[in-house]
Amino acid sequence: MQRDQSKLGLGINPVVSAGATIFRQLKKSRKSSLAGSSTGGAVLLFFLIVLLLGAFISARWINDSDIRSITATATETQILIVTPTTTLQQAPPPQPLPPKPKPKQKPKPKPKPLIIPFSCPTGNQNLTDICPSTPLPPPLSDDASLPPSPSCPGYFRWIHEDLRPWKSTGITQEMVERARRTANFRLVILDGRAYVEYYRPSFQTRDVFTLWGILQLLRRYPGRIPDLELMFDTVDWPVILARDYRCRNASAPPPLFRYCANDLTLDIVFPDWSFWGWPEINIKPWEALQRELKEGNERVRWMDREPYAYWKGNPVVAPTRQDLLKCNVSEAYDWNARLYAQDWFKETTGGFKESDLASQCIHRYKIYIEGTTWSVSEKYILACDSLTLLVNPRFYDFFTRGLMPVQHYWPVQSDNKCRSIKFAVDWGNSHKQKAHAIGKEASSFIQEKLKMEYVYDYMFHLLSEYAKLLRYKPTRPPNAVELCSEYMACPAEGLEKKFMMDSMVKSPHDSAPCTLPPPFSPVELKISARRKTNAIKQVEFWEQRAWESQKSRPMQ
Ligand SMILES: *[C@@H]1O[C@H](CO)[C@@H](O)[C@H](O)[C@H]1NC(C)=O
Ligand SMILES: *[C@@H]1O[C@H](CO)[C@@H](O)[C@H](O)[C@H]1NC(C)=O
Ligand SMILES: *[C@@H]1O[C@H](CO)[C@@H](O)[C@H](O)[C@H]1NC(C)=O
């Protein structure tokens, strides 16, 4: 059963995981480069140039001496591996095109922000009627009168990839209906009002806070969210298998929204509930938590942190986590890891005080490992300047595809965890500046590119692009209830109510959403995939070398 599955599967662990792979993009880019084979020559030429350049430029970024020593000792086959890596690390990451400069306007005096009214019914006013009788905020004026908006972060470009399966066919009502099979709810937006038809309960308050987030989006951009209809599945595992829709005759896949996907699936990823709060385990809305993490991060200087790799989480949810526990320090051997199993029951009853995320930035290295699928904890782990040792993830969520190995995190082999972790910590402790720099790059990514503002803009663009694909006009489903902030927040109690009030959008946003960058070109997708795999191979190679040279010495 869905409900039980999600209980087991449970990205529930606050100290857990999320990841990104690139196979699907490889597959896609292969397809699209076949489609446009006339560009093949140019592509080849480009790669040759990049390759040649790479032979001359070393990856200063990672470490001069490492590269030098590798090249010095490398056999020819090793050089074959190393060269493209260093090259591609030098190649700039695909950047969105800068927005066209708009003619300068004289800054107008800013009008006072409109406060959207919010009040709960008094006496015995019937909640069922509260949404229809609540007026919508006036629609925002069009873009022309708003200040020009800068480009969104690069990971927004994956929106185009996620919707690519329907690019030529569009999305019909029949396709949406097929997605109902596993959906927890159907969401319809008509003229800025939200209607929901529930099919099955979600685990904890996943659906509640996901829908709350969508209502806040409607408050932030009144009049700008197009009419649409979608199916949402709140369970951990992606279910739309790409292989079922690959053959020529196959029907188009059903569009299904959820929190994560992987290379083998076509589920459309959407920001998870935790951005508005997770009351069951006392994780507050992201805006406040992000600020606390920033302060927590400043409490202990990186150099003064414990020089070990730290992980705390629930090992029961996945075999790979139990495997990780074997790397814990013991009397026999120190793999440089300090691992702790979370006492789930004790913490649930104790209000998760021991899991205070903002006070967890006291180790130089923090391990991220997936549970059953992605985990909401990835953003918390990356937010410490500590170097994140990321055990090879199999899943991605909406932002993790913007992360690069060695630039934002240190890759750890999932079938060789202990050795990988030991090497990473040894490397970091002897290259402190570099390890700290990677950690810092990750925390600035989280602080700057994953601001709540961008979470809303991601939703805005994803839903807008999705709505453009609809080939029919959605209508209000007969069994749907209308949702509005009052309908959800007024009867809520305790932390649920507090998190809703804290994360409520109080006024429409006074500028346009960021500008959606264009789709990746097939070449860009290939380069970015190559860059990723080569950086990982590079680290594996260093690791292997270190392991061998250590084996030849007696163990201390
Ligand atoms: C609220 O109104 C609806 C119809 O308008 C009715 O079915 C429902 O029983 C009412 N609930 C209460 C608590 O009065
Ligand atoms: C594809 O569709 C045609 C006509 O609908 C059918 O005759 C054929 O068997 C199908 N082929 C496959 C591989 O399903
Ligand atoms: C790992 O080792 C530390 C130090 O010995 C210990 O406190 C901790 O409980 C161990 N973790 C697990 C999961 O056994």
Side-chain angles (χ1 to χ4, degrees):
M1 263 187 61
Q2 287 261 338
R3 201 187 151 87
D4 295 331
Q5 281 178 349
S6 69
K7 223 173 236 172
L8 287 174
L10 187 86
I12 189 186
N13 200 321
V15 189
V16 208
S17 58
T21 4
I22 203 114
F23 236 86
R24 176 148 75 121
Q25 284 63 56
L26 264 177
K27 270 180 300 192
K28 275 181 196 154
S29 63
R30 218 179 291 140
K31 250 185 268 157
S32 27
S33 68
L34 280 181
S37 58
S38 64
T39 58
V43 173
L44 192 68
L45 188 65
F46 178 75
F47 270 113
L48 276 174
I49 293 171
V50 172
L51 230 103
L52 274 173
L53 266 175
F56 293 102
I57 308 168
S58 73
R60 238 168 304 131
W61 206 93
I62 296 190
N63 187 330
D64 276 339
S65 60
D66 279 331
I67 301 279
R68 269 198 302 274
S69 58
I70 281 175
T71 352
T73 58
T75 63
E76 258 174 32
T77 46
Q78 282 160 349
I79 289 172
L80 271 180
I81 300 172
V82 170
T83 314
T85 312
T86 55
T87 311
L88 289 166
Q89 271 155 3
Q90 284 299 57
Q95 289 293 327
L97 295 175
K100 279 195 196 111
K102 292 194 182 151
K104 278 218 174 112
Q105 295 162 336
K106 272 200 184 139
K108 278 179 249 166
K110 260 197 178 172
K112 266 204 182 140
L114 167 86
I115 301 293
I116 307 172
F118 174 90
S119 62
C120 288
T122 50
N124 49 10
Q125 194 186 336
N126 191 331
L127 255 189
T128 328
D129 305 328
I130 197 162
C131 298
S133 61
T134 306
L136 292 177
L140 289 171
S141 46
D142 59 338
D143 279 356
S145 63
L146 293 169
S149 59
S151 178
C152 309
Y155 65 83
F156 278 57
R157 303 177 82 185
W158 291 103
I159 289 174
H160 304 289
E161 299 310 311
D162 286 353
L163 296 175
R164 194 173 296 283
W166 301 275
K167 196 170 186 271
S168 58
T169 58
I171 295 171
T172 63
Q173 191 155 22
E174 180 270 333
M175 295 175 196
V176 174
E177 291 305 324
R178 268 193 284 130
R180 178 178 165 167
R181 196 173 59 84
T182 63
N184 293 78
F185 61 82
R186 175 203 302 264
L187 168 76
V188 174
I189 293 175
L190 296 175
D191 296 324
R193 294 185 181 271
Y195 306 91
V196 173
E197 186 178 21
Y198 292 96
Y199 299 125
R200 34 178 85 74
S202 295
F203 180 63
Q204 296 184 335
T205 46
R206 286 180 177 202
D207 55 347
V208 174
F209 280 90
T210 299
L211 288 164
W212 175 259
I214 291 167
L215 293 178
Q216 302 321 302
L217 176 72
L218 291 170
R219 286 164 75 92
R220 183 177 168 93
Y221 293 122
R224 302 191 53 147
I225 311 294
D227 289 358
L228 59 87
E229 174 168 44
L230 62 84
M231 296 287 183
F232 205 111
D233 181 341
T234 61
V235 176
D236 286 352
W237 297 283
V239 296
I240 310 298
L241 297 178
R243 64 157 194 252
D244 293 348
Y245 302 95
R246 213 167 275 149
C247 75
R248 199 176 294 261
N249 261 9
S251 50
L256 179 63
F257 285 72
R258 70 170 346 103
Y259 308 120
C260 80
N262 62 18
D263 304 335
L264 305 175
T265 54
L266 302 174
D267 302 60
I268 303 169
V269 294
F270 194 83
D272 68 63
W273 70 96
S274 69
F275 288 94
W276 295 272
W278 188 351
E280 288 84 355
I281 59 170
N282 199 14
I283 288 188
K284 55 183 74 162
W286 178 233
E287 199 151 34
L289 183 50
Q290 192 183 35
R291 256 196 319 273
E292 282 180 17
L293 284 166
K294 194 173 169 122
E295 288 159 17
N297 190 22
E298 283 156 10
R299 255 176 250 156
V300 184
R301 286 175 53 228
W302 194 91
M303 291 297 178
D304 300 334
R305 294 183 188 181
E306 299 282 334
Y308 302 108
Y310 170 87
W311 180 79
K312 182 173 178 187
N314 183 357
V316 185
V317 296
T320 180
R321 290 192 171 181
Q322 281 153 37
D323 189 41
L324 173 70
L325 290 188
K326 292 181 194 149
C327 313
N328 200 13
V329 59
S330 71
E331 305 212 328
Y333 200 67
D334 190 351
W335 293 104
N336 294 336
R338 301 293 181 266
L339 313 174
Y340 302 89
Q342 200 147 27
D343 185 339
W344 207 245
F345 179 74
K346 195 175 125 207
E347 301 218 15
T348 311
T349 51
F352 284 90
K353 287 193 193 71
E354 315 232 326
S355 318
D356 177 20
L357 293 161
S359 60
Q360 288 186 6
C361 298
I362 55 169
H363 292 81
R364 286 187 192 162
Y365 312 92
K366 295 188 75 170
I367 297 168
Y368 171 82
I369 183 165
E370 289 181 333
T372 43
T373 58
W374 105 110
S375 156
V376 303
S377 66
E378 186 165 4
K379 54 185 176 297
Y380 313 134
I381 291 175
L382 288 163
C384 287
D385 284 356
S386 311
L387 176 59
T388 299
L389 311 188
L390 198 109
V391 181
N392 245 351
R394 290 165 307 142
F395 296 89
Y396 56 79
D397 69 11
F398 77 103
F399 75 87
T400 49
R401 287 174 288 185
L403 300 170
M404 277 291 168
V406 187
Q407 185 187 347
H408 299 103
Y409 65 87
W410 190 266
V412 164
Q413 299 184 53
S414 56
D415 47 5
N416 234 332
K417 296 185 192 71
C418 301
R419 197 177 104 178
S420 249
I421 290 169
K422 174 160 176 35
F423 174 73
V425 173
D426 287 342
W427 179 87
N429 286 337
S430 52
H431 302 83
K432 297 192 185 66
Q433 306 283 350
K434 268 150 197 155
H436 185 190
I438 300 174
K440 250 190 136 46
E441 181 104 4
S443 53
S444 4
F445 180 100
I446 298 297
Q447 290 292 346
E448 285 152 32
K449 300 192 171 154
L450 197 59
K451 287 189 285 205
M452 210 50 214
E453 181 180 335
Y454 286 134
V455 176
Y456 282 122
D457 285 0
Y458 192 93
M459 293 157 68
F460 173 88
H461 285 301
L462 174 58
L463 294 181
S464 304
E465 296 300 307
Y466 173 84
K468 282 183 202 161
L469 294 169
L470 291 178
R471 291 285 182 269
Y472 67 102
K473 176 138 184 50
T475 53
R476 179 175 177 169
N479 298 322
V481 286
E482 183 176 349
L483 290 189
C484 56
S485 296
E486 289 82 356
Y487 183 84
M488 295 192 84
C490 292
E493 291 173 350
L495 268 191
E496 224 173 287
K497 177 142 191 157
K498 179 174 172 13
F499 288 171
M500 284 180 179
M501 299 312 287
D502 289 351
S503 63
M504 190 185 299
V505 166
K506 312 236 164 26
S507 326
H509 190 49
D510 60 3
S511 55
C514 59
T515 304
L516 180 64
F520 293 106
S521 71
V523 176
E524 283 173 318
L525 272 179
K526 257 186 209 155
I527 290 181
S528 131
R530 280 281 291 274
R531 205 177 139 226
K532 213 162 185 165
T533 39
N534 285 335
I536 290 172
K537 271 193 201 149
Q538 172 84 83
V539 169
E540 282 174 13
F541 170 74
W542 288 341
E543 212 175 284
Q544 181 67 27
R545 202 182 41 151
W547 181 249
E548 272 157 18
S549 78
Q550 199 172 57
K551 262 197 313 199
S552 58
R553 286 199 310 263
M555 256 199 191
Q556 301 112 343

